[in-house]
Amino acid sequence: MTDLPWTPDFDSWPITHGAMATTHTGDVLSVTWSDGATSQYHALLLRENSADPATIHPKAREMCLSPCAIPPELEICAAGVEDNGAIWVRFSDATRSAFHPGWLRGIAWFGEEQPPAPVLWRGEDQPEPPSFDGPEALSDPAVFLQWLEALRDYGVARLRGLPQEDGLLERIVTRIGPVRESNFGRQYTLEIKDDPDSQAFTSDMLLQHIDLPTRETPHGLQFLYTRDNTTTGGEGLYADAYRIAEDMRLEEPAHFHSLVTDVWEYSNRARGSDYRGWGPVVETDPAGHITGIRYNTFLRAPLKAPVHVQRRAYKAYRAFCARAQDARYLMAFRYAPGDLLAFDNRRALHGRAGYEAKGGTRFIEGIYADRDDLQSRIRTLRRQMRAEAEAGAGVGA
């Protein structure tokens, strides 16, 4: 089907079910599909997505017509299924549009959709991050996609066996999306500083935390590339904060309520900057799904609140902290040369055992990016693979 209408996006829409029949009443179009399902569409939804250059820009694939240019009482006058499977509609403003069946089926409402559930883990069950061969991931888009999907699902994922190359970390990260700079610069090196502006730049133990809770929106992803490590100690200590929060939702509901409602302030303690951010420890969406964590014991400011709020909030914070340090939750592993560890900075708490710097070297580079870039790259890689599969099968879109 090479003559199907184009769609108001750049995605590839497989035709899993063909349109069998249409009916319309006033401003509603109903489509019956080959699997017996029926979907309904409002006239304005269809008209705003009409695949014609006056409505959708053919290059940008964005709506270029003002919604106010469409009659508010728009109705559907006629509709049907064309020989090639497209669904055509004639509107009361005299516009005739045709819609790609894969797209029309794909955007249909068949009930509330649940977001993909993250894979929750405890260190006792998941002692190592999901790991992939680094050179293979860089040469094979399918393996690169598997690494990204593991990062999305587990909140932590690792590439192993990468070569030692200057600039390699940034080249890998920018395959996902733009680098997000911070007060530590575009890229930073975890090294011991004589005058550190963070405990990260010492050899001391670090309690589990997220980075940069002092920002309005903390950086979403962090990447650590180990160039060399011959020191003793310094193991990475990671915990799934979503797992901790869900366990507290069930086992300590009063503390969980405080974690999602009481707002804490975080402030960086550097001499040359003064960032401050506010938020609850556990962020949730309207349906109650956990969407982010803002937790860092050493950047947390004193709580400005009535005493009864202080009492419950400090108790809840301590309860969360106890779990974050509990060995049952911790994933502990050594940073090996050639490893690139990626993790969701707003989900995976990370810490470090103290290490002995004398008699060894430790060279770890770091970069931040954002969650949006991860999700976008996963979608575009999937889109490319669908398009290649369809082209190989001789199917047009």
Side-chain angles (χ1 to χ4, degrees), residues 333-356:
F333 54 89
R334 182 173 178 78
Y335 295 109
D339 283 358
L340 194 164
L341 185 77
F343 59 93
D344 184 334
N345 182 57
R346 294 171 60 196
R347 172 185 173 182
L349 305 181
H350 65 288
R352 179 187 69 210
Y355 65 93
E356 176 55 62

Side-chain angles (χ1 to χ4, degrees), residues 116-378:
V119 180
L120 305 184
W121 50 269
R122 301 184 186 92
E124 60 184 0
D125 304 315
Q126 181 81 29
E128 294 277 338
S131 299
F132 303 84
D133 181 86
E136 184 181 8
L138 298 187
S139 62
D140 186 343
V143 179
F144 193 79
L145 176 60
Q146 290 172 12
W147 174 55
L148 298 185
E149 290 178 332
L151 172 57
R152 175 200 62 195
D153 295 342
Y154 288 84
V156 58
R158 180 172 59 187
L159 296 181
R160 312 213 73 174
L162 291 168
Q164 297 299 319
E165 293 181 13
D166 292 342
L168 179 62
L169 175 59
E170 182 167 342
R171 291 199 299 273
I172 293 174
V173 172
T174 52
R175 284 181 61 174
I176 302 170
V179 170
R180 182 176 173 189
E181 297 192 22
S182 73
N183 45 297
F184 301 119
R186 180 175 180 82
Q187 180 172 312
Y188 58 89
T189 300
L190 291 177
E191 59 185 351
I192 298 175
K193 296 182 178 181
D194 293 333
D195 188 20
D197 55 354
S198 169
Q199 292 184 69
F201 302 117
T202 72
S203 61
D204 299 338
M205 181 194 73
L206 279 177
L207 289 176
Q208 292 69 42
H209 62 282
I210 75 159
D211 279 7
L212 303 163
T214 56
R215 300 304 184 97
E216 180 179 3
T217 302
H219 295 47
L221 301 175
Q222 188 168 176
F223 300 84
L224 298 177
Y225 171 38
T226 304
R227 305 291 303 274
D228 191 17
N229 186 14
T230 58
T231 56
T232 301
E235 292 80 10
L237 304 174
Y238 288 76
D240 184 359
Y242 284 14
R243 173 78 277 171
I244 292 172
E246 290 294 358
D247 286 352
M248 293 185 71
R249 191 201 300 260
L250 292 175
E251 300 167 11
E252 301 179 84
H255 287 336
F256 180 81
H257 178 73
S258 170
L259 293 173
V260 299
T261 56
D262 293 328
V263 173
W264 291 86
E265 178 186 352
Y266 294 85
S267 60
N268 75 314
R269 314 298 169 87
R271 293 183 177 89
S273 61
D274 190 349
Y275 292 98
R276 303 192 183 194
W278 292 262
V281 175
V282 179
E283 300 168 355
T284 57
D285 65 15
H289 301 118
I290 297 173
T291 58
I293 300 293
R294 192 186 293 258
Y295 171 82
N296 185 310
T297 58
F298 49 86
L299 295 180
R300 182 175 44 125
L303 180 62
K304 296 180 180 179
V307 169
H308 72 279
V309 174
Q310 295 179 38
R311 181 178 295 113
R312 76 180 182 217
Y314 276 99
K315 286 182 179 179
Y317 210 102
R318 290 167 63 89
F320 187 93
C321 179
R323 291 184 187 250
Q325 295 175 232
D326 189 323
R328 294 177 305 153
Y329 288 98
L330 291 182
M331 176 190 286
F333 54 89
R334 182 173 178 78
Y335 295 109
D339 283 358
L340 194 164
L341 185 77
F343 59 93
D344 184 334
N345 182 57
R346 294 171 60 196
R347 172 185 173 182
L349 305 181
H350 65 288
R352 179 187 69 210
Y355 65 93
E356 176 55 62
K358 296 179 180 179
T361 57
R362 180 181 168 96
F363 181 17
I364 299 177
E365 296 176 334
I367 279 182
Y368 296 106
D370 271 323
R371 287 167 154 184
D372 292 344
D373 303 310
L374 173 67
Q375 298 287 358
S376 172
R377 190 59 179 143
I378 288 173

Side-chain angles (χ1 to χ4, degrees), residues 47-63:
R47 180 65 185 84
E48 288 187 356
N49 288 281
S50 178
D52 64 80
T55 305
I56 300 294
H57 194 286
K59 292 184 177 180
R61 300 293 175 95
E62 298 171 343
M63 186 177 176

